[in-house]
Amino acid sequence: MPYTTGMDPKGPIPVSLFFTCLADAFSPGVCTATVEVLERFGATVRVPLSQTCCGQPAFNSGNRKEARAMARKFLLSFPDDGFIVTPSGSCAAMVKHGYPVLFRDEPRMLARARAIGERIFELSQFLVDVLGVTDPKSDFSGKVTYHDSCHLRRGLGVIEAPRKLLRAVPGIEFVEMEESDRCCGFGGVFSLKYPQISCKMTERKVERILATGASYVTSGDLGCLLNIGGLISRIGYPVKTIHLAEILAGKTAGKEDAG
Amino acid sequence: MELNANAFGRNARKALLDKTLQEALGRTTGRFQAHRDAAVAALPEFEATRERASRIKGDVLDHLDTYLARFIEEAEKRGTIVHVARDAAQAREIAARIAWEEGITLAVKSKSMASEEVSFNEALQGAGVTVVESDLGEFIIQLAGEAPSHIIAPAVHKTREEISLLFERHLGEPRTDSIPELVGMARKHLRAKFLSAGMGVSGGNFLVADTGSVVLVTNEGNGRMGTVLPRVHLAVVGIEKVIPRMADLPTFLRLLPRSASGQVISSYVSIVTGTRRAGDPEGPERMHLLLLDCGRSAILEGKYREILKCIRCAACLNSCPVYQSVGGHAYGWVYSGPIGAVLTPLLVGLPEAAALPDASTLCGACADVCPVKIPLPDFLLELRSDAREQGLKTPGEIAAMKGYAGVMKRAGLLEAIERIAGVLGQFFTKGKGISGLPYPFSGWTERRDFPAPAAEPFRKQWKIKRGVTR
Amino acid sequence: MNERESLFRRLSAACGERGAAVEEPLPGGAPTAPEGDRVALFAKTFTAAGGVLLRGPVEKALSDLGEMLRSEGVTALFFPEDDAAAREIAEALVPFGPFNLTTGAEVRGGSAAVTAGFRAAEAAIAETGTIVETSAGGKTLLPGLIADVHVSIVPAASVVARMEEALAAFTEDPPRNISFLSGPSKTADIEQTLTVGAHGPKKAIALMVG
Ligand code: SF4
């Protein structure tokens, strides 16, 4: 479903990167890869440097006062035009669906939240649905399986876009895992409040991943990957977590940084 | 039923260590879900039906006063004696009085979640009535002296060995590991009860306003036995179960069995209306209906009204990975899984059950399957927010959130903190995962590593590489 | 103020002014009427629900039925006094087994025999594989309730497409009991293993006539 944005299809594609606080602090490579892929397909990428966190952890734990403060800051950090793209289904869903709840009693902020919500996309969604990318032009190679992050799949309804992209990479052998749409057990504060249940769910997820024999498990949300990766690294399973953006960027991802 | 919802964390940990329970859960919930998905896929009109059901229920809730009044009028016209209970204590009192006035000593009961809310059995037992649960699962757990752990499969946590032991001890039956034999033993035992009981007690899946009918959906046929054979029929039903018209019933009958167990229809649907008519060879001479408010009218008034659309199909339980991990008992009251995490705090008060809304990853699987489209995850979020407003959160959590929000207010401050964390993280972990963190992160690192913060966060990298763009 | 009045006061306060209730059933949602032969569809859905459908020449159906009842260990047959169709079939079956004729009252009184209860269905629903039996006009429900095997006699002309059609006759003044019977009594309460005969008949047989 192509989006109509009122923008000149031949003109420049202005994109503001919402890099997410999690990737900023723990996996900057995901942000770099996102920029690389966006630029590969002609986007002019801006990075609003005053952005911090969208407020999801506070919102999801019921601490709306704090969430609202962060949301306000978010809404003011991004420009009034162009697309906003983020390598996170969860953070995009927060802006799209959470903000209208936070600002339901503030008409002015609500309008701004809705307007920004219209312009925000998760990376794979943006590539496939907005730019119409069919070949991500990635030289990544390996056997890959995909975990549907809950908020990308059920929050944004993005199911096929990441799969289409992965299947289009010639070097990738793509395998579906069983129960790919089942929650990995992260759930933000849930994983701290009920760690044993969380872990139980993560174990089941990792079992399904291992059953595919893939060397990589990827996803559109870093939160899931850190959670899954945390268990994998503790046990030392022979599979790596890698963010979808990094796969799309390809082998050379971040190489220019390393010099 | 005794309330123990705030012990969710402790109950859940126990459940995770219970091997039998874990096996049973592994065996059952996945199967329910697979059957449900297949049945839904086989009905092309499922989505339209779901939409319609949700709208019908919405209409009912918007005009519950009107529809309930109509229902009562029609029911009374056909001989049903309607009682209304504001709360559990009143419900127990009314039930005991009915049993006393009707001279009942033995009652056979088919499954009714609503009756569990008010500890119905205890009330009748207190009045000297023996109450026998006739749903096989309920019967088993009644023998075991436990509480149901699943809406439609209450004994899902029991193995055949355990059940055979119970039958040996309580019914004097020989041990067996044949499930059909176990079912046969229960049948024989319960048949005798049905034939001699003075009163059949049932719940009600739907109340039909334009005819005054009570609709019961079962697979075993116990609902049918209990409403045909005994002299008195007492139905215990929540006020929100009303549907407007008999003509609406098929819509709900298409959704309930499919969502519950993946069946096109359950084996038995009984639509019972009033008392036996002149010339009827069977059917109760007296029909009582006990309508429960028990917190429902208060829910109707507030922002959670839609939860009253629930038709108790248990699809949300079966889809819920948290429920699948810990089972129903952990939720500490009548209702479990996502519906329990929302409904229990609303019925018993949030302070008594604030642990439940937190018992979800907000994965949204429940909302995907709910046949009446209740926004369960939104309600969980809303309840968490209520918990904060009602002062039910720990000072630690609030302080942490305040500190967190304070840092996030300024990108510069965040950057400074990231720098320190990056240095420390790299120093201590040499870039590998962190395997031990202090509370409140200690739970995470018990069995998982936590990632080390990056030496150079993205924001900094970008500034260096591309300069400040804004 | 009694409890009922106070309940309605609470409800009215909670409902507030929300415009009129929807008068008519909302459109949409009912499955498209099954195409083609309703009887054929019923045969499929009834079987899927775990029932056994017998049709075709009466002689053959009777001998099949007799065989089935014997293999279930049935020794006694009963039917409603005033149900000519059921009586005819049951009596015709006696030579096919060692079967005694008994009555609903006797079975209800606690007979030790394995029984088959015969009864004419009032309708059948193709959509769901359902036999409709009601108490309308003083009919008994015992054959489909307390027998070990239930044999429904279903006139082909009584098969309707959907549940709506089956219920249409009862929207004005329903009898005490309208029962939808779809296959045998089932339970999966022990280890999720589907087992028949929890309370009601272990076997549900429909004999299609006409
Ligand atoms: S909330 Fe929805 S899915 Fe859960 S039991 Fe109720 S109707 Fe079924």
Side-chain angles (χ1 to χ4, degrees):
Chain A
M1 31 145 191
Y3 288 84
T4 46
T5 55
M7 259 177 284
D8 175 8
K10 295 267 173 329
I13 310 163
V15 170
S16 298
L17 177 71
F18 165 24
F19 51 71
T20 80
C21 60
L22 200 62
D24 178 35
F26 293 103
S27 284
V30 172
C31 314
T32 317
T34 306
V35 174
E36 209 170 309
V37 176
L38 287 169
E39 289 181 340
R40 182 183 301 160
F41 292 99
T44 314
V45 181
R46 277 201 285 181
V47 179
L49 288 170
S50 63
Q51 65 178 293
T52 56
C53 168
C54 64
Q56 181 169 199
F59 179 68
N60 281 2
S61 57
N63 296 290
R64 292 198 177 169
K65 199 166 145 243
E66 289 73 24
R68 217 169 279 125
M70 287 183 258
R72 230 180 276 283
K73 164 136 186 72
F74 180 95
L75 291 175
L76 297 175
S77 297
F78 283 84
D80 287 332
D81 51 11
F83 299 101
I84 300 169
V85 176
T86 179
S88 164
S90 189
C91 301
M94 171 65 192
V95 174
K96 226 175 160 64
H97 305 311
Y99 283 14
V101 176
L102 281 176
F103 295 115
R104 63 188 169 199
D105 298 325
E106 291 180 50
R108 238 169 39 86
M109 289 307 280
L110 181 63
R112 181 157 180 91
R114 290 238 166 89
I116 286 216
E118 293 283 299
R119 295 192 283 120
I120 195 163
F121 298 91
E122 178 275 335
L123 177 63
S124 69
Q125 179 188 34
F126 183 70
L127 291 175
V128 174
D129 294 346
V130 181
L131 299 185
V133 170
T134 51
D135 176 3
K137 301 200 171 69
S138 161
D139 61 355
F140 191 88
S141 60
K143 189 168 176 182
V144 176
T145 188
Y146 174 76
H147 161 67
D148 285 277
S149 95
C150 297
H151 294 162
L152 181 55
R153 185 182 175 107
R154 283 179 286 268
L156 296 181
V158 176
I159 298 169
E160 283 310 317
R163 294 181 160 82
K164 277 187 196 153
L165 294 172
L166 288 169
R167 287 207 180 90
V169 177
I172 287 181
E173 184 194 341
F174 180 69
V175 273
E176 287 280 2
M177 69 174 93
E178 263 183 63
E179 302 182 338
S180 71
D181 63 345
R182 192 187 158 89
C183 180
C184 71
F186 175 47
V189 281
F190 174 83
S191 60
L192 303 180
K193 283 196 174 162
Y194 299 118
Q196 289 86 356
I197 307 174
S198 167
C199 248
K200 169 100 185 163
M201 290 162 65
T202 315
E203 278 162 4
R204 179 150 162 180
K205 176 57 70 180
V206 170
E207 268 172 39
R208 300 293 187 259
I209 294 168
L210 294 173
T212 64
S215 353
Y216 298 94
V217 54
T218 189
S219 181
D221 262 296
L222 188 59
C224 309
L225 291 172
L226 293 181
N227 175 48
I228 295 168
L231 184 71
I232 288 176
S233 101
R234 174 65 59 91
I235 312 273
Y237 287 123
V239 54
K240 285 198 202 58
T241 53
I242 182 167
H243 192 280
L244 186 63
E246 295 173 300
I247 288 192
L248 298 179
K251 279 186 201 135
T252 48
K255 286 284 144 57
E256 95 185 278
D257 290 357
Chain B
M1 185 174 160
E2 215 170 298
L3 177 65
N4 195 21
N6 273 339
F8 177 83
R10 203 169 55 239
N11 296 342
R13 283 197 295 280
K14 235 192 302 173
L16 285 168
L17 297 175
D18 182 336
K19 257 190 80 189
T20 324
L21 173 67
Q22 287 300 325
E23 271 169 33
L25 286 169
R27 204 167 39 222
T28 54
T29 51
R31 198 180 306 184
F32 273 127
Q33 210 186 346
H35 289 172
R36 180 246 166 225
D37 291 349
V40 165
L43 182 68
E45 294 84 356
F46 187 82
E47 265 316 304
T49 308
R50 194 179 173 214
E51 178 63 39
R52 183 166 192 254
S54 182
R55 284 180 54 197
I56 293 171
K57 278 276 184 178
D59 178 47
V60 166
L61 296 176
D62 284 351
H63 307 94
L64 190 53
D65 46 356
T66 313
Y67 284 120
L68 192 66
R70 174 78 195 277
F71 170 79
I72 292 176
E73 188 192 324
E74 296 293 333
E76 287 181 334
K77 224 197 278 181
R78 296 176 172 91
T80 302
I81 304 163
V82 179
H83 312 260
V84 169
R86 171 197 293 262
D87 55 26
Q90 249 183 24
R92 285 194 293 269
E93 197 188 302
I94 294 169
R97 200 178 58 228
I98 293 171
W100 166 255
E101 285 174 6
E102 298 287 0
I104 306 298
T105 52
L106 173 64
V108 222
K109 186 158 158 268
S110 59
K111 196 162 50 189
S112 156
M113 301 302 286
S115 76
E116 299 279 342
E117 276 178 48
V118 302
S119 300
F120 179 91
N121 291 11
E122 286 80 350
L124 283 204
Q125 280 151 7
V129 180
T130 305
V131 185
V132 179
E133 294 284 358
S134 62
D135 173 272
L136 179 57
E138 297 272 357
F139 176 65
I140 290 165
I141 60 162
Q142 188 184 35
L143 292 182
E146 291 175 14
S149 66
H150 186 282
I151 298 179
I152 66 161
V156 68
H157 59 289
K158 285 257 173 281
T159 61
R160 69 181 89 181
E161 291 77 26
E162 291 174 302
I163 294 165
S164 180
L165 264 173
L166 283 170
F167 284 8
E168 179 186 40
R169 189 167 334 131
H170 296 276
L171 311 180
E173 294 287 353
R175 293 288 298 279
T176 174
D177 59 4
S178 147
I179 292 175
E181 276 179 31
L182 288 169
V183 171
M185 291 167 186
R187 173 189 173 101
K188 189 180 72 188
H189 183 83
L190 288 167
R191 175 64 65 89
K193 302 287 179 195
F194 275 119
L195 292 171
S196 56
M199 181 161 81
V201 180
S202 75
N205 296 89
F206 306 100
L207 303 173
V208 184
D210 71 346
T211 57
S213 310
V214 179
V215 182
L216 298 167
V217 181
T218 73
N219 269 317
E220 298 184 358
N222 53 331
R224 199 164 127 75
M225 292 258 169
T227 54
V228 174
L229 297 176
R231 178 172 55 82
V232 180
H233 173 200
L234 164 59
V236 185
V237 190
I239 52 171
E240 82 283 16
K241 293 283 171 180
V242 183
I243 60 170
R245 289 155 288 260
M246 187 77 97
D248 294 319
L249 183 60
T251 295
F252 291 95
L253 291 180
R254 282 182 191 111
L255 294 172
L256 178 58
R258 283 184 172 86
S259 302
S261 58
Q263 288 172 279
V264 169
I265 193 157
S266 303
S267 296
Y268 301 106
V269 177
S270 295
I271 304 167
V272 299
T273 314
T275 51
R276 76 153 79 166
R277 311 293 194 270
D280 281 1
E282 313 99 20
E285 288 154 22
R286 308 262 291 168
M287 161 88 190
H288 293 271
L289 175 65
L290 174 51
L291 287 171
L292 303 182
D293 182 338
C294 300
R296 287 162 173 79
S297 58
I299 296 176
L300 190 68
E301 189 148 21
K303 55 187 174 180
Y304 301 103
R305 164 180 298 203
E306 276 186 90
I307 200 70
L308 297 177
K309 290 181 175 177
C310 174
I311 59 170
R312 307 280 190 272
C313 70
C316 59
L317 279 66
N318 298 328
S319 77
C320 176
V322 174
Y323 174 86
Q324 289 177 20
S325 303
V326 301
H329 285 156
Y331 292 79
W333 204 51
V334 182
Y335 303 105
S336 55
I339 179 65
V342 175
L343 192 56
T344 301
L346 293 175
L347 289 177
V348 305
L350 188 51
E352 302 298 323
L356 294 187
D358 283 340
S360 160
T361 62
L362 304 171
C363 79
C366 50
D368 260 16
V369 297
C370 176
V372 286
K373 300 183 121 178
I374 298 171
L376 292 157
D378 294 353
F379 283 169
L380 292 169
L381 279 168
E382 207 62 39
L383 284 163
R384 292 177 186 186
S385 167
D386 289 357
R388 168 74 184 267
E389 267 156 39
Q390 293 178 27
L392 299 171
K393 292 211 174 272
T394 61
E397 179 180 333
I398 295 174
M401 279 301 158
K402 283 196 167 140
Y404 173 61
V407 170
M408 292 300 166
K409 227 179 245 164
R410 285 177 43 218
L413 184 55
L414 172 60
E415 213 179 330
I417 290 179
E418 281 175 343
R419 190 173 317 135
I420 300 168
V423 171
L424 288 176
Q426 294 302 311
F427 181 78
F428 283 113
T429 66
K430 318 261 180 302
K432 293 220 177 59
I434 303 170
S435 56
L437 279 173
Y439 185 83
F441 301 97
S442 47
W444 175 295
T445 51
E446 223 168 81
R447 277 145 75 193
R448 282 169 293 201
D449 290 342
F450 198 81
E456 202 168 66
F458 174 72
R459 190 192 321 265
K460 176 132 181 264
Q461 292 181 16
W462 184 263
K463 275 187 190 167
I464 295 169
K465 231 167 24 193
R466 309 248 186 142
V468 181
T469 53
R470 183 173 151 165
Chain C
M1 189 163 49
N2 68 24
E3 259 325 310
R4 191 183 297 186
E5 283 165 13
S6 106
L7 170 70
F8 275 97
R9 192 158 296 192
R10 290 196 299 278
L11 291 182
S12 301
C15 289
E17 278 304 314
R18 282 169 206 281
V22 176
E23 285 296 328
E24 287 302 312
L26 297 162
T32 34
E35 280 166 35
D37 191 357
R38 286 201 299 268
V39 172
L41 179 62
F42 173 78
K44 220 169 87 191
T45 50
F46 185 69
T47 311
V52 178
L53 183 78
L54 295 173
R55 48 205 294 212
V58 178
E59 267 311 304
K60 171 87 170 81
L62 280 180
S63 85
D64 286 353
L65 184 53
E67 164 97 49
M68 238 175 255
L69 297 185
R70 281 197 313 273
S71 76
E72 291 293 321
V74 170
T75 57
L77 317 180
F78 70 103
F79 48 84
E81 286 298 301
D82 51 358
D83 188 334
R87 173 191 298 270
E88 194 188 320
I89 301 289
E91 287 179 348
L93 265 175
V94 172
F96 287 89
F99 299 136
N100 300 317
L101 295 181
T102 178
T103 64
E106 214 162 291
V107 178
R108 183 176 178 165
S111 108
V114 178
T115 59
F118 291 69
R119 190 189 190 278
E122 283 143 281
I125 307 171
E127 174 192 359
T128 48
T130 298
I131 302 284
V132 182
E133 296 187 0
T134 80
S135 61
K139 285 193 286 294
T140 177
L141 297 162
L142 293 182
L145 187 74
I146 57 176
D148 297 292
V149 176
H150 180 38
V151 182
S152 307
I153 294 102
V154 184
S158 74
V159 182
V160 298
R162 294 174 305 189
M163 288 187 269
E164 277 84 353
E165 283 102 345
L167 285 175
F170 306 112
T171 45
E172 284 305 309
D173 191 21
R176 156 66 196 181
N177 190 306
I178 303 169
S179 292
F180 284 6
L181 318 177
S182 312
S185 158
K186 307 177 188 89
T187 182
D189 273 356
I190 303 181
E191 295 187 2
Q192 291 312 106
T193 306
L194 188 66
T195 312
V196 293
H199 292 285
K202 295 171 183 148
K203 202 167 192 93
I205 301 170
L207 188 64
M208 187 73 72
V209 294

